[in-house]
Structures are given as C-alpha cells and as structure tokens.
C-alpha cells in the first residue's frame, strides 16, 4: 500500500477515539472549556444517557463568529500563548476537543460575547459544516452534541448501560465542581436534576457539599514547594470501593496511580485492605513540577519528583488523622506479635490460609500470625528486629492497661474441653484473650463475628431467616445508588433483605435478614450499592450473593471497640468452634491467633 496523508476528517476521528470515549468524556471537555471561559454558572443537560443529546450552557466570555469557526478547527486554541508546554494554567490547550466531538456527532455551537449585540450559531454535522449564521442567543455559550457516535456504531457498542454512562457523567461533573467552588453547577438527565451545587464561599464548603461523608478531617500541609489541602475521611467512613477518592493537581481532577497509591499507603494500617478511604485532596505545586501532557484526556500526570509527592501525601494525611486521634492501635499490636512469633518460632510458617482449629492436645500453632503473609499490610512487621518489638507490644496497649479486670467468676468448665479456650478478658475492647489448655488465644471479635454472620447468612440462603420491620425504614441515597439497589432487589431478597424503590432517591426497607437485626441500614445500603457497582451485573447469582452476604455480614457484626461480657465472649468462642471457616474473616484475615504454651516458655527463657 502506498503511503498517503490522512484526510482531516479521518485525523479528527482518530483523535476522537482518544478524547471522546463516552458521553462523560465529551461532558468533561465541554465543561472544562466553560471553566476556561470564566463561567460563573454551568448547566449540563443530558438526554437518553447522553447519546441522544448533551447540552452544556455557560455564562462565560463567549466567542465571536471568527472565533467560533476557529474553535472547530483542529489544533486551534486560544490557550497556549507561548511555546512552553509546562506553563499550562488552563484545562484546554490541545485544541482538539471540539473538532473531535464534531467528527462523531452533530455539534451545535451558539455563542455571544457579553458585550456583543447579537450571537452566532455554527453547526458541524459529523465533520461537515452545516450552518454558519447569526442567531438570537443569550450571552455566553451553549454547545450541544446530538447523536453522539450515531454514525460510528462500533463506538456505540462499547458504551455501557445508560445508567453507567450517566453515573460516569455525574462523577465527572462532581470532580470538576469540587475544584471550582465559586462556580454554580447543575446537572440534569431527561429533565431530572442529578446534581446541584450553588456557588460556595470556599473550597472546604464545596467539598463538604459534594463528598460522600461529613466524617472527615481537614488536611493542610506544605513542604518544599508542594502543598496538600482538602479533606480526609475518617476510617469509620471508609467505603467498599475506591470511587470516593477525589484527587486534584493544581485544580485539575486526576486519576493517578501514584497519588491513589500514596493515599492507600497513608491509610494502610488504619483500614482493612478491602476498605477505601473517602478523600478529596488538592495538591498544588509549581507548574514546572508536573507534566499534564501525558494523556490526551489529561487525567494522568507526571511529576518531576514522584517520591517527594508521595512522601508529602503520606505525611500530610498521617498528621491530619493523628491530630484527630486516629491511631493504628490494633496493628501495632499485631506487628509486635509478628516479631514475637518470629523470635519464638524461628522461621516456621503456617502455610495454610485457612488454619484448622487446634486439635485437643495437638502441637499446632493454630492461626500462626505469619500465616500466608496475610498480615503483610502491617508496615513495620518485616523490618523490625525481633525483640525490640516486645516493647511495642506494650505501646500497642498504649501503656495504660485497657484490659478489663475480671469481675465475673470464671466459668467452671475445664478449659481442655474447648479448642479456643475460655475467655479471660478483653483488650482494647477489640480482642478477646482466652486461655486454652495448651496456650494463649487472642481473638479479633469483629473479624470473628463477621465470619459467623456470613456463615449464618449462607446457611439460610435457601430460605432466608428474614425479619419484617414493624416500621419500614426509608433510606435516602443518591439516585444511581438507589437505581442499582432497585435493579438487584431480587438478589437482595434472596438473602432476606426486602427493598422497594420509593421516589427518586429513597429506598424503603421492609425486611432484613434476621442476622442483621439492629444494623445501621443507611450504612448497609450505601455499602451494598457500592458493592453492586464494583461487582455489577456480569457476576453469577451465586457469586453475587456471596459478595452481598459478605457486605451484609460486616454490618451485622459486633464492631471492634465494644465491651463484651465474659459470657458474650465465651458464646462467641463456642460459636466459632462450631462454624466452618471460622479461622479467617470474610476478607481472609485471621480471626484468632495462638501463642502456644511452649512458645511462651521459650519467650521467657524457661526452656
Ligand atoms: P482547547 O480547549 O484545548 O483550546 P477545544 O477544542 O476544547 O480546545 O476548544 C477550542 C477553542 O474554542 C478554545 O481554545 C476556546 O478559545 C474556544 N471555546 C471552546 N468552548 C468555549 C466556551 N464554552 N466559551 C468560550 N470559548 C470556548
Ligand atoms: Mg478544551
């Protein structure tokens, strides 16, 4: 084949493949243009999930006829005054969004600079000019995209359900709105309002307006020309998916692995591995420090000194959370036990990830702390020298004894009858300390109970033990979340959770699985909706049930931090002994660990 220069309409279509993937990406480009034009109000209207029509209207500086014609030309931009690609202060600069969109849809631009007498309309229909004429329009700019991908069926096929496409648009608009508190935003779909943010006085006010939680602390930290501000959600407000993380670099929303990795690192020992913090973080730095021109949609960035950025984020989040009194007590303890384990057991490793209960009289070390590397999330575990951590053990208990004195008489039954021993007390309102005939057992009460609830939900799957609520409870969610729950109502009913849609954003709960009586239904439904988003429709029913059951179980469990009576502790231990898989929680972490008598003796030099 001879080499040929590609015709411009093909070049535009190829570029469109990078810039306009779905309705949300077109919305992003159009809203960014409105922001670059200094708009104070931006309205986005979708019809038919955005493929029928996207309209973005603003009150910005507008364009005159000559500018309109240039705007739809390739590589025409008003935003790159010089040649320095690092000195970019606007969203745009590539000058390819409008021509790209115009090559895969019918693009109508109506614009009028505020001081101009009248306005102008320009229509480009799938790459060809269809109208270029004066029009009676208000000041500002209205751009509509009709029939996106209608002539490119291959692209249309790649779109997800209307619901997912709308959800992606909401996410896009929310991210942009967070970074521009002074601008009022409104988003409608088929005439219904999905998002509304009035102009806010400052960034924190806007972020709180749009963030999924109010349980958050302010972040404000600067070092070496880098600054991080925003809000960090408390561990208790964590979510089952990472979608509620909003990251911005110099006001630009980004989805960047380096940044989200740093966030994960900062929360590593505060959250279970499958929980994700809610954060909105704004990194500011000199524009020479960051390259935004790595990705056509400009959602990824490259930093001159990635390590410094990571360190800054971790320090800033740690400080903010520390100041709020959030401390990883539990894991310090586990790290210490790790070291203890290594020092007493050498390199012996329990290979199984689902340890068997210790058999009576057997020499098993039960749920060895180092088993299967499951505790590798504890950051200090690997590097610390063996014995110094015995001191950490004390630190983990905060040096103030939190163990509750034994006030009830110990049950009379001889301990050897029970593989998990008899409860002797509780530490940090989180761990049960039990004495077995051959050693000391520590149980994570939340993890253990969560597994018990899950197993009971599974056992009842065929005929769920459901409990009707005397007063049905109404839970308000955002609309896509309510949509997802409604769409999966059958799955949930199979587990005993009976829901009904109630208006646009409300869900009526009529019955709950018996194992979940008393659970916080708002938190439960929020997590379930997240879960359904993460493991949506393609999952087999069985698998979906499992995910849902696991999420439910988490909510039905005794939380860490609750004081238990000895009788309650013993009941939990006995139930664990009788329940399959009780050695690990639903997330695969051990629910209990054991220090065998022999190990204790070695530790104290008695052997
Ligand atoms: P870029 O934003 O990279 O410059 P675009 O194709 O998105 O490229 O837009 C081309 C040009 O059209 C912009 O540089 C800007 O001058 C003009 N423009 C686009 N949208 C608007 C708007 N809403 N208000 C005013 N001018 C606009
Ligand atoms: Mg642009």
């Amino acid at each position: 084949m001879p080499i040929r220069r590609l015709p411009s309409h093909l070049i535009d279509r190829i570029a469109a493949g990078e810039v306009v993937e779905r309705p949300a990406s077109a919305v992003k480009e159009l809203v960014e243009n409105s922001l670059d034009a200094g708009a104070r109000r931006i309205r986005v209207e979708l019809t038919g999930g955005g493929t029928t029509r996207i309209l973005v209207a603003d009150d910005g500086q507008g364009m005159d006829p000559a500018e309109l014609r240039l705007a739809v030309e390739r590589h025409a931009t008003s935003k790159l005054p010089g040649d320095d690609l690092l000195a970019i202060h606007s969203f745009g600069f590539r000058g390819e969004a409008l021509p790209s969109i115009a090559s895969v849809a019918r693009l109508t631009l109506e614009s009028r600079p505020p001081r101009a007498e009248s306005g102008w309309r320009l229509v480009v229909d799938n790459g060809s000019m269809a109208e270029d004429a004066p029009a009676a329009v208000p000041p500002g700019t209205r751009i509509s995209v009709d029939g996106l991908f209608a002539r490119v069926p291959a692209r249309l096929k790649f779109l997800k359900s209307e619901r997912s496409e709308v959800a992606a648009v909401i996410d896009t608009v929310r991210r942009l709105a967070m970074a521009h508190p002074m601008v009022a935003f409104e988003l409608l779909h088929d005439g219904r309002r999905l998002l509304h943010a009035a102009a806010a006085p400052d960034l924190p006010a806007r972020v709180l307006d749009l963030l999924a939680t109010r349980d958050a602390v302010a972040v404000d930290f600067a070092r070496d020309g880098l600054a991080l501000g925003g809000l960090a959600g408390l561990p208790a407000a964590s979510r089952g998916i990472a979608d509620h993380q909003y990251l911005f670099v110099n006001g630009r929303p980004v989805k960047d692995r380096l940044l989200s990795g740093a966030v994960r690192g900062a929360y590593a020992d505060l959250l279970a591995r499958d929980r994700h913090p809610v954060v909105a973080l704004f990194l500011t730095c000199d524009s020479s420090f960051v390259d935004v021109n790595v990705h056509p949609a400009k959602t990824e960035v490259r930093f001159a000194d990635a390590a410094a950025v990571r360190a800054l984020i971790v320090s800033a989040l740690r400080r903010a959370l520390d100041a709020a009194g959030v401390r990883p007590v539990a894991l310090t303890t586990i790290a210490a036990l790790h070291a203890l384990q290594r020092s007493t057991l050498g390199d012996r490793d329990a290979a199984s990830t689902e340890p068997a209960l210790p058999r009576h009289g057997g020499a098993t070390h039960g749920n060895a702390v180092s088993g299967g590397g499951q505790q590798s999330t504890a950051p200090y575990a690997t590097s610390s020298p063996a014995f110094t951590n015995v001191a950490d053990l004390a630190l983990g208990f905060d040096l103030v004894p939190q163990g509750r004195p034994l006030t009830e008489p110990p049950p009379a039954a001889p301990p050897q009858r029970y593989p998990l021993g008899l409860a002797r007390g509780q530490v940090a309102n989180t761990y049960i300390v039990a004495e077995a005939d051959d050693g000391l057992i520590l149980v994570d009460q939340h993890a253990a109970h969560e597994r018990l609830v899950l197993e009971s939900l599974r056992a009842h799957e065929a005929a769920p033990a459901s409990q009707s609520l005397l007063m049905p409870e109404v839970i308000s969610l955002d609309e896509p979340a309510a949509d997802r729950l409604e769409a999966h109502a059958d799955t949930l009913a199979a587990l005993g959770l009976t829901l009904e849609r109630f208006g646009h954003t409300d869900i009526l709960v009529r019955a709950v699985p018996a194992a979940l009586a008393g659970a916080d239904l708002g938190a439960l439904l929020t997590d379930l909706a997240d879960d359904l988003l993460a493991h949506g429709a393609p999952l087999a029913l069985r698998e979906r049930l499992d995910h849902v059951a696991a999420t439910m179980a988490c909510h039905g469990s005794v939380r860490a931090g609750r004081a238990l009576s000895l009788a309650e502790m013993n009941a939990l231990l006995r139930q664990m002994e009788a329940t399959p898989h009780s050695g690990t929680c639903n997330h695969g972490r051990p629910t209990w660990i054991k220090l065998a008598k022999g190990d204790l003796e070695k530790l104290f030099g008695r052997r």
Side-chain angles (χ1 to χ4, degrees):
M1 250 204 296
I3 299 181
R4 65 162 179 153
R5 285 218 161 78
L6 293 175
S8 67
H9 70 272
L10 261 189
I11 296 179
D12 286 339
R13 241 182 222 192
I14 291 168
E18 292 178 322
V19 184
V20 212
E21 262 181 313
R22 58 197 299 195
S25 33
V27 167
K28 172 178 177 293
E29 295 295 337
L30 297 177
V31 172
E32 287 183 349
N33 281 345
S34 298
L35 288 167
D36 282 343
R40 284 281 159 257
R41 308 191 66 80
I42 299 177
R43 195 175 78 251
V44 182
E45 285 177 27
L46 305 179
T47 312
T51 49
T52 309
R53 166 171 258 213
I54 297 167
L55 175 102
V56 176
D58 69 49
D59 60 354
Q61 68 192 24
M63 290 171 271
D64 63 27
E67 286 169 325
L68 276 170
R69 284 177 211 122
L70 261 181
V72 294
E73 240 174 64
R74 207 165 163 62
H75 300 311
T77 178
S78 57
K79 302 171 193 171
L80 208 55
D83 288 341
D84 186 358
L85 277 181
L86 286 182
I88 287 161
H89 301 286
S90 57
F91 280 112
F93 67 81
R94 286 176 178 252
E96 52 186 12
L98 292 181
S100 298
I101 296 172
S103 74
V104 290
R106 181 182 171 93
L107 183 74
T108 304
L109 299 92
E110 294 173 346
S111 197
R112 178 176 148 199
R115 273 178 297 277
E117 305 264 290
S118 64
W120 202 266
R121 177 183 300 124
L122 196 98
V123 181
V124 185
D125 193 350
N126 287 275
S128 14
M129 188 68 78
E131 193 182 328
D132 186 353
V137 293
T141 303
R142 291 161 56 90
I143 298 188
S144 67
V145 179
D146 290 280
L148 180 65
F149 300 141
R151 305 255 189 96
V152 204
R155 304 297 304 276
L156 212 48
K157 264 204 308 235
F158 277 102
L159 295 185
K160 305 212 177 93
S161 68
E162 181 176 306
R163 187 179 289 153
S164 314
E165 295 301 333
V166 171
V169 172
I170 299 177
D171 187 66
T172 299
V173 175
R174 184 181 286 135
R175 282 173 201 272
L176 287 167
M178 272 196 189
H180 298 87
M182 318 292 200
V183 181
F185 283 84
E186 196 178 8
L187 168 64
L188 297 103
H189 179 225
D190 291 341
R192 275 218 316 271
R193 195 196 251 181
L194 300 182
L195 185 144
H196 178 238
D202 53 27
L203 202 65
R206 169 59 62 86
V207 170
L208 264 185
D209 222 18
L210 296 174
L211 203 62
T213 182
R214 298 197 150 247
D215 291 336
V217 293
V219 178
D220 183 10
F221 185 67
R223 186 165 69 195
D224 303 334
L226 290 166
L228 192 75
L231 288 172
L234 296 176
S238 70
R239 309 282 291 232
I241 50 173
D243 289 28
H244 302 276
Q245 300 187 351
Y246 303 94
L247 306 172
F248 304 84
V249 175
N250 290 341
R252 186 189 290 281
V254 295
K255 290 191 174 163
D256 188 85
R257 283 228 207 97
L258 168 79
L259 300 180
S260 47
V263 170
R264 198 172 328 114
Y267 278 88
D269 50 2
L270 299 173
L271 287 178
R273 252 180 313 170
D274 55 347
R275 300 296 296 175
H276 304 273
V278 173
V279 295
L281 297 174
F282 297 80
L283 180 74
T284 30
C285 58
D286 192 86
S287 59
S288 64
F289 197 85
V290 55
D291 185 356
V292 292
N293 194 21
V294 256
H295 186 264
K298 307 177 216 91
T299 51
E300 283 167 34
V301 287
R302 193 178 294 138
F303 295 102
D305 185 351
V309 171
R310 190 187 154 85
L312 175 94
I313 292 177
V314 174
S315 314
L317 286 173
R318 286 296 181 134
R319 262 170 207 242
L321 292 164
D322 249 20
V326 179
R327 286 206 178 75
V329 176
L331 276 171
T332 317
T333 310
I334 288 175
L337 281 168
H338 250 294
L340 204 68
Q341 173 93 6
R342 245 180 295 118
S343 64
T344 56
L345 304 182
D347 281 328
R348 242 186 302 161
D349 228 29
S352 139
T353 50
E354 171 67 45
L357 283 173
R359 245 153 289 127
H360 175 59
T364 170
H365 295 287
N367 234 333
V369 203
S370 49
Q374 289 176 0
Q375 289 301 331
S376 57
T377 46
Y380 352 64
T382 44
S383 57
S384 29
F387 266 95
T388 50
N389 271 23
V390 176
D392 280 357
L393 184 61
L395 274 178
F397 288 68
D398 259 356
L399 291 177
V400 182
Q402 294 182 357
R404 290 179 309 114
L406 206 57
T407 49
E408 301 152 65
Q416 53 269 30
R417 277 189 30 211
Y418 302 123
L420 289 178
L422 283 174
R424 293 296 181 208
Q426 198 186 16
V427 175
N429 281 346
T430 301
Y431 304 100
I432 298 170
V433 182
E435 181 188 356
D437 63 334
D438 56 348
L440 170 74
I441 297 214
L442 288 171
V443 176
D444 176 333
Q445 68 191 42
H446 172 64
H449 195 241
E450 189 177 306
R451 169 58 81 175
L452 296 181
V453 173
L454 176 66
E455 292 303 324
S456 112
L457 282 172
R458 281 191 181 146
H460 289 100
E461 243 163 53
S466 192
Q467 188 174 311
S468 297
L469 301 179
L470 285 176
M471 291 283 290
E473 209 172 308
V474 177
I475 306 291
S476 292
L477 301 159
D478 58 38
E479 191 164 341
D483 283 347
R484 284 197 294 280
L485 289 173
E486 186 187 16
H488 292 90
D490 289 348
T491 306
L492 300 168
L495 285 157
L497 183 66
T498 316
L499 307 177
E500 247 169 63
R501 185 62 175 262
F502 191 66
H504 293 320
T505 56
D506 290 345
I507 294 280
L508 192 71
V509 184
R510 291 204 176 274
V512 298
L516 298 188
D520 172 349
L521 293 180
L524 172 66
L525 293 201
T526 308
D527 268 10
L528 283 176
D530 280 356
D531 206 42
L532 292 170
L533 181 66
H535 311 281
L539 280 191
L541 181 68
R542 168 79 233 176
E543 232 174 309
R544 208 182 306 155
L545 280 173
D546 263 11
H547 275 296
V548 169
T551 303
M552 285 188 184
C554 191
H555 284 271
S557 320
V558 180
R559 286 282 163 188
R562 212 183 88 193
L564 300 176
S565 71
L566 272 183
E568 285 175 307
M569 293 183 224
N570 277 310
L572 187 70
L573 296 178
R574 302 295 78 80
Q575 237 183 313
M576 286 171 71
E577 285 160 357
T579 304
H581 312 297
S582 65
T584 50
C585 76
N586 309 340
H587 315 294
R589 293 186 299 278
T591 54
W592 56 272
I593 54 173
K594 178 175 194 175
L595 284 172
K597 219 181 236 166
D599 298 330
L600 287 169
E601 284 167 356
K602 261 194 256 164
L603 184 62
F604 288 104
R606 283 168 166 268
R607 255 208 300 177

